[in-house]
């Protein structure tokens, strides 16, 4: 693939991601939902990909580039921690409680979901063989 094609694919993929984000931001403003626009954007993008409205090749190049350089996205987080260090240290107990409790709850829910999905798959296979 030549450089011109690669740049065009990156620009097109970026445009798709920006459009999905802008749509999710607009939708949240319109409905008044209390939901993070980037998270809604990810859900919308997944639905578009799953429904084959947006072919994966359209966003593959830009997603690979963003994932390859993901460590750059942690710089603002680190700077934010340094800037708000005093506020974080004053509220460290509730922050740590939320982190550990949230992690524990998500791990338990994931385990239950996987366990029930496996049971459902086994039940469907058993049902088909009868």
């Amino acid at each position: 693939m030549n450089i011109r094609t690669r740049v065009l694919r990156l620009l097109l993929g970026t445009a798709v991601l920006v459009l999905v984000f802008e749509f999710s931001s607009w939708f949240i403003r319109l409905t008044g939902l209390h939901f993070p626009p980037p998270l809604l954007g990810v859900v919308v993008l997944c639905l578009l990909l799953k429904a084959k409205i947006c072919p994966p090749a359209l966003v593959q190049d830009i997603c690979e580039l963003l994932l390859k350089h993901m460590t750059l996205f942690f710089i603002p987080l680190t700077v934010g921690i340094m800037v708000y260090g005093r506020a974080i240290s004053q509220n460290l107990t509730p922050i740590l409680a939320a982190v550990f409790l949230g992690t524990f709850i998500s791990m338990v829910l994931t385990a239950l979901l996987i366990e029930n999905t496996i049971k459902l798959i086994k039940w469907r296979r058993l049902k088909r063989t009868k």
Side-chain angles (χ1 to χ4, degrees):
M1 179 181 347
N2 66 20
I3 191 137
R4 176 181 269 170
T5 306
R6 177 128 168 94
V7 168
L8 286 174
R9 288 178 64 145
L10 288 171
L11 288 174
L12 185 61
T14 302
V16 169
L17 293 181
V18 168
L19 284 172
V20 168
F21 173 75
E22 288 301 324
F23 169 77
S24 64
S25 297
W26 168 82
F27 183 79
I28 286 176
R29 278 193 308 273
L30 181 73
T31 60
L33 290 173
H34 297 289
F35 199 77
L39 186 57
L40 180 62
V42 169
V43 171
V44 169
L45 182 62
C46 286
L47 291 173
L48 290 172
L49 291 169
K50 186 72 173 164
K52 298 188 187 328
I53 296 170
C54 175
L58 196 61
V59 292
Q60 182 176 353
D61 288 344
I62 190 63
C63 290
E64 286 175 355
L65 181 69
L66 291 171
L67 288 172
K68 182 178 177 184
H69 299 291
M70 186 178 258
T71 53
L72 294 175
F73 296 113
F74 289 103
I75 293 172
L77 173 70
T78 307
V79 171
I81 289 172
M82 291 188 313
V83 169
Y84 295 105
R86 179 171 288 152
I88 291 171
S89 66
Q90 291 172 349
N91 298 303
L92 193 59
T93 303
I95 290 171
L96 289 176
V99 167
F100 287 113
L101 188 63
T103 302
F104 178 74
I105 289 171
S106 65
M107 287 173 63
V108 168
L109 289 176
T110 302
L112 291 172
L113 180 66
I114 289 172
E115 185 177 322
N116 287 324
T117 303
I118 291 170
K119 285 179 183 177
L120 179 65
I121 290 169
K122 287 180 180 178
W123 177 77
R124 284 185 178 174
R125 285 183 184 160
L126 183 64
K127 187 177 173 183
R128 271 192 234 143
T129 58
K130 286 185 178 181

